[in-house]
Amino acid sequence: MPKPSPPDESTGWQVEQNASEAYEKYLVPPIFAPWADRLFETIDVNEGDRVLDVACGTGIVARRAASRVGTGGSVVGLDINEGMLVVAEKTAADIQPSIEWRQADATDLPFSEKQFDVVCCQQSLQFFDDPAVAVEEMQRVLAPGGRMSLSVWRSLDYHPGYVVLADALERHIGDEAGEMMRSPFPAWEGEDLRTLVQAAGIVDVSITIEIGSVRYPSVEEFVRRESASSPLAEAIAAVGREVRDELVLEVEDSLHAYIDDEGVISPMESYVVTADKNQ
Ligand SMILES: C[S@@+](CC[C@H](N)C(=O)[O-])C[C@H]1O[C@@H](n2cnc3c(N)ncnc32)[C@H](O)[C@@H]1O
């Protein structure tokens, strides 16, 4: 592996902001916002509902929920990461009803039972130490007749852009960087998710496979934006220009089948689980 050289200020690849701000700026518009809209196509959220967004990140699902519940409803966004919540609060400053932001672990929700009509968790279950306990917690805080919606990316096999990016990061930056880029894509099947939710006590479970894509204006921007929004943003930005150029060239080479006049596109596939709690 080439030796990291000192950061090169001229390349524009420095961490220009923190990873949470980069996440909101670079990953929410092309990925998490459209997938949040798809999440709400699969679940009823009505005026007056009380909604909990578990592992809300910078809060895109909570913001979408607020426009559906109206001022008679309420929305809480919860995440373990303070940086994400700071950006969430700033981004939602003008949204009504105002969203309550809570810092806590999804496996130990700081709410009493049956407190919410809707519980959502978009692309986060795969990061919890104990996903089964987290789903039990979501079930506990859901009111009878309440709805739960969870989404989890399908495995890396269905995400060619990220297979290539993770392999290149591993080779040019290190094992940890490769692992980090693979971590959102667990090797779970839909049936594993059904079992998880049913084990938590909700029998009425439906799972769909949703297919979409993500587009970036160039391979360099794909690598740069994904890296800048990740927990390893600083480590990746700290390698020299030579290493980054090689990384981008390798990704370009391996992804040639997905490069067109508008940049680069990669398919993305997700399981979306909806579950109804009995009255
Ligand atoms: C890929 S982001 C998804 C964020 C958001 N749901 C969205 O759609 O943009 C994963 C989020 O899970 C959060 N997270 C990871 N482990 C957690 C835990 N144990 N409890 C609560 N949040 C957690 C992270 O801080 C991060 O914000």
Side-chain angles (χ1 to χ4, degrees):
M1 188 173 35
K3 231 178 156 180
S5 46
D8 175 353
E9 300 295 336
S10 67
T11 62
W13 253 50
Q14 304 312 301
V15 189
E16 72 218 64
Q17 61 218 318
N18 68 45
S20 305
E21 284 170 345
Y23 180 93
E24 175 62 30
K25 181 172 167 189
Y26 296 138
L27 302 192
V28 170
I31 303 176
F32 295 98
W35 283 94
D37 293 334
R38 295 175 81 147
L39 194 84
F40 285 114
E41 284 168 16
T42 64
I43 189 171
D44 273 342
V45 181
N46 305 312
E47 278 202 26
D49 277 345
R50 299 158 297 170
V51 178
L52 171 64
D53 177 12
V54 175
C56 61
T58 56
I60 183 62
V61 169
R63 296 200 294 276
R64 293 292 197 262
S67 64
R68 283 171 169 77
V69 302
T71 46
S74 62
V75 181
V76 179
L78 172 142
D79 202 280
I80 203 164
N81 185 303
E82 194 187 354
M84 289 295 218
L85 292 171
V86 167
V87 177
E89 188 162 12
K90 196 165 67 177
T91 310
D94 297 330
I95 286 191
Q96 288 300 326
S98 66
I99 299 167
E100 181 187 341
W101 304 104
R102 296 287 293 266
Q103 186 176 9
D105 193 313
T107 60
D108 187 15
L109 295 176
F111 307 111
S112 48
E113 58 182 41
K114 305 178 186 166
Q115 208 181 308
F116 296 96
D117 304 300
V118 176
V119 175
C120 301
C121 182
Q122 169 164 276
Q123 302 304 342
S124 301
L125 203 60
Q126 58 270 54
F127 300 107
F128 301 157
D129 288 343
D130 195 335
V133 170
V135 178
E136 278 166 23
E137 278 292 86
M138 294 183 219
Q139 189 279 134
R140 180 182 66 77
V141 301
L142 203 54
R147 286 88 65 204
M148 187 190 287
S149 178
L150 314 169
S151 64
V152 179
W153 300 125
R154 301 188 79 199
S155 72
L156 262 184
D157 300 340
Y158 301 94
H159 298 88
Y162 292 89
V163 173
V164 167
L165 180 58
D167 287 353
L169 283 171
E170 183 173 286
R171 259 192 294 280
H172 295 276
I173 310 283
D175 291 349
E176 208 189 339
E179 242 171 69
M180 179 269 306
M181 200 50 75
R182 290 184 190 107
S183 62
F185 310 102
W188 292 346
E189 301 285 343
E191 286 315 304
D192 298 327
L193 292 166
R194 192 190 311 277
T195 303
L196 203 64
V197 177
Q198 289 184 333
I202 302 188
V203 283
D204 190 358
V205 180
S206 148
I207 299 180
T208 57
I209 292 171
E210 303 284 328
I211 301 180
S213 62
V214 60
R215 178 178 277 290
Y216 286 100
S218 65
V219 167
E220 175 160 20
E221 284 304 301
F222 172 45
V223 179
R224 190 181 76 81
R225 294 179 190 187
E226 289 280 351
S227 303
S229 312
S230 79
L232 292 179
E234 289 193 28
I236 298 171
V239 300
R241 179 176 199 144
E242 209 181 295
V243 175
R244 295 199 300 260
D245 286 350
E246 282 172 19
L247 176 62
V248 171
L249 271 181
E250 181 177 321
V251 175
E252 247 162 20
D253 216 36
S254 308
L255 276 186
H256 64 90
Y258 291 99
I259 295 173
D260 61 15
D261 291 350
E262 310 240 312
V264 61
I265 188 163
S266 173
M268 297 195 82
E269 297 195 17
S270 181
Y271 293 112
V272 177
V273 182
T274 49
D276 293 337
K277 185 167 173 174
N278 284 340
Q279 286 288 349

